[in-house]
Amino acid sequence: MNERSRILRGSARAVTGLLIVAASATAVVLLSSVTLPSVTRAPEAIVVDTTQNTSRTLVCAGAFGVLGADSARPGTAIPLGAPAVTVAGDASGTASLTRSEGGEGLPTVLAAPNDEPLAAAQVQAVVAEGLRGVTASACAEPLNEQWLIGGGSSLGISTTLSLGNPGAVPATVELAVFDENGAVDALQTAGVLVAAGTEQTVSLNGYAPDRERLAVRVVSTGAPVTASLGVGQSTGITPFAVSSVTRQTAPQTELVIPGLANVSDHEHGPSDVGEGDDFPVQLRVLAPGGETPEVRARAIDGKGVSTDLGSLTLEPNAIGELRIPVWPAGANAMVIESDAPIIAAALGSATEGKEHDYDWFTPAPQMGADSPVAAPVVSGGTLVLANSGETDADVQLVAASGKGKPSKATVPAGAAITVKAPADAVITSTEPLFAGVRYVQGGDIAGYPVLAPDPRDGELTVYTR
């Protein structure tokens, strides 16, 4: 092939290539301007019941741990004695958590189907060198986040934190501690490893010593845990009081503390603000979001009479305290309202002769209307029902065992009443309520909220492709 033929052939190939490119571009333009037929199929929605074949687990904290019971290990909480556990409902399974100190009174684990009412609580008489009194607490479901407030670490006061892990994998727990001045430096706290099937108890005196007021945020990863506080106080070598503190799930703008009481066989005496109770009720509040809300408190009795208790303005992330000179006679609950989400606890006392005890009463979650809720009433305890709404609530109480006759009660709007109830009570109300149990015997006092389960509609919509 001569040179001229090669040039002509190359030119022809180039022209052909240009024509192909131009044709392709024209086709792309034409296709982009033409609506092509398509097939669209919307995802199919399927509603599934998420509560089928699921169960609830409750953990009771076990024996009260006493700091200093072993002089060789003053920073170790030694469990002493054993609590009595009251169960409302049928548990499908029971177990115990182990702990490094062993001994009797191991934490109890209960399980039941999710759609069956189940609740439990424990009560214990604590007698130790330098400590005496009665503690009571609700057995709680494990959570990944929870809050506790109460106690301190100043002279004569010890506060421990018990963490229970009923799961099958370890839990890593991070603690955020708050006091009267704000958040405690994170360098003073650390993560706590709670092995599967165990309970760990740590001393908050070691994390935050010399604090008048304490609150803790507990966040766990790996497995949810239960958390409770144990508070002991003595004056010198004389026992003063003990308390177990039940957790709160999350800060809220309105809290109701049913069962709060303050009793004494002594006459009212002088206080900082005039005549008042020997040991005034104390309300402690924390707004953990950094806000500075105004907090208002009032007491309600069985007839719906509301008594203003005062107000306080919180500092950012600091625990505020309101001292109430006189607790109103006949009052059975405290209602707390805030301009921002808060956690709170109120200290009630009992005094008879030379014996004294106190307890940090904590808010109860709201019980939904027309939903049966198990309410365990420990021996010697009294069930308190609080209705902070505007409509009277008609309540039916039955025994979970089916024994005895059902009873009925009416809780007036804005009132808190005491009712007779079986130990394994199940409550059904026509209106939302708050419930708690208080124990007052002579110079002993204790109490706990009825922990209604979190409302779960049991439905989840799944879209298939």
Side-chain angles (χ1 to χ4, degrees):
M1 182 182 296
N2 57 32
E3 186 66 22
R4 178 173 177 162
S5 297
R6 280 196 296 269
I7 292 174
L8 289 175
R9 182 171 292 183
S11 299
R13 289 176 178 172
V15 172
T16 301
L18 289 173
L19 291 174
I20 292 173
V21 171
S24 300
T26 302
V28 170
V29 172
L30 290 174
L31 287 173
S32 64
S33 62
V34 175
T35 301
L36 298 176
S38 62
V39 177
T40 302
R41 181 179 179 182
E44 182 179 355
I46 300 177
V47 178
V48 297
D49 184 356
T50 61
T51 64
Q52 287 186 345
N53 302 320
T54 61
S55 63
R56 294 174 59 230
T57 299
L58 302 177
V59 178
C60 307
F64 187 86
V66 179
L67 283 177
D70 183 349
S71 58
R73 299 178 295 162
T76 301
I78 307 298
L80 297 179
V85 177
T86 299
V87 180
D90 292 326
S92 59
T94 60
S96 297
L97 299 182
T98 62
R99 59 187 177 213
S100 59
E101 297 305 320
E104 58 180 337
L106 292 175
T108 301
V109 181
L110 305 169
N114 201 43
D115 56 354
E116 293 292 333
L118 176 70
Q122 65 173 47
V123 63
Q124 179 183 359
V126 177
V127 180
E129 185 177 357
L131 288 179
R132 67 150 301 277
V134 169
T135 68
S137 60
C139 306
E141 290 187 71
L143 297 174
N144 289 107
E145 180 177 356
Q146 53 207 299
W147 296 81
L148 301 114
I149 183 170
S153 58
S154 56
L155 182 63
I157 304 177
S158 62
T159 304
T160 59
L161 171 66
S162 294
L163 304 168
N165 176 12
V169 297
T172 301
V173 181
E174 297 293 332
L175 308 179
V177 182
F178 302 82
D179 63 15
E180 59 271 20
N181 298 313
V184 175
D185 190 343
L187 294 178
Q188 295 182 238
T189 63
V192 179
L193 181 64
V194 185
T198 70
E199 180 187 72
Q200 292 281 357
T201 299
V202 298
S203 168
L204 291 184
N205 291 54
Y207 282 106
D210 300 321
R211 263 66 174 194
E212 294 292 332
R213 312 165 195 165
L214 287 175
V216 188
R217 180 193 182 203
V218 178
V219 177
S220 66
T221 56
V225 299
T226 55
S228 62
L229 294 181
V231 182
Q233 183 171 352
S234 61
T235 56
I237 60 174
T238 303
F240 187 70
V242 292
S243 173
S244 292
V245 184
T246 301
R247 54 94 170 135
Q248 300 170 53
T249 57
Q252 296 177 287
T253 56
E254 180 176 321
L255 301 171
V256 177
I257 302 178
L260 177 60
N262 207 50
V263 297
S264 174
D265 64 352
H266 297 179
E267 294 292 333
H268 286 179
S271 68
D272 295 340
V273 291
E275 289 291 313
D277 296 336
D278 288 341
F279 300 96
V281 168
Q282 300 174 31
L283 171 64
R284 289 188 183 174
V285 189
L286 170 68
E291 294 91 347
T292 59
E294 181 185 23
V295 178
R296 301 162 294 279
R298 56 189 175 92
I300 56 176
D301 67 10
K303 298 180 180 179
V305 176
S306 178
T307 304
D308 180 52
L309 301 175
S311 63
L312 72 159
T313 300
L314 300 179
E315 297 297 324
N317 293 321
I319 303 172
E321 183 174 274
L322 176 66
R323 296 176 71 85
I324 299 160
V326 177
W327 179 249
N332 292 314
M334 179 186 288
V335 179
I336 308 159
E337 296 168 328
S338 172
D339 299 330
I342 57 171
I343 62 169
L347 185 70
S349 298
T351 305
E352 183 176 84
K354 295 183 179 180
E355 291 189 343
H356 174 80
D357 192 17
Y358 64 47
D359 194 68
W360 287 102
F361 289 79
T362 54
Q366 189 178 65
M367 298 165 39
D370 302 318
S371 298
V373 174
V377 182
V378 297
S379 178
T382 300
L383 180 64
V384 178
L385 303 177
N387 177 9
S388 63
E390 300 178 352
T391 304
D392 293 355
D394 294 324
V395 180
Q396 178 175 274
L397 297 107
V398 300
S401 64
K403 298 179 180 179
K405 295 181 179 180
S407 62
K408 295 183 178 180
T410 297
V411 188
I417 68 171
T418 61
V419 295
K420 291 184 178 180
D424 59 340
V426 176
I427 305 169
T428 305
S429 171
T430 58
E431 298 293 328
L433 285 181
F434 302 86
V437 174
R438 71 176 172 217
Y439 175 103
V440 179
Q441 301 286 336
D444 293 322
I445 187 170
Y448 54 89
V450 172
L451 299 183
D454 292 335
R456 300 165 180 167
D457 59 17
E459 291 185 354
L460 178 67
T461 302
V462 178
Y463 294 93
T464 60
R465 298 183 62 181

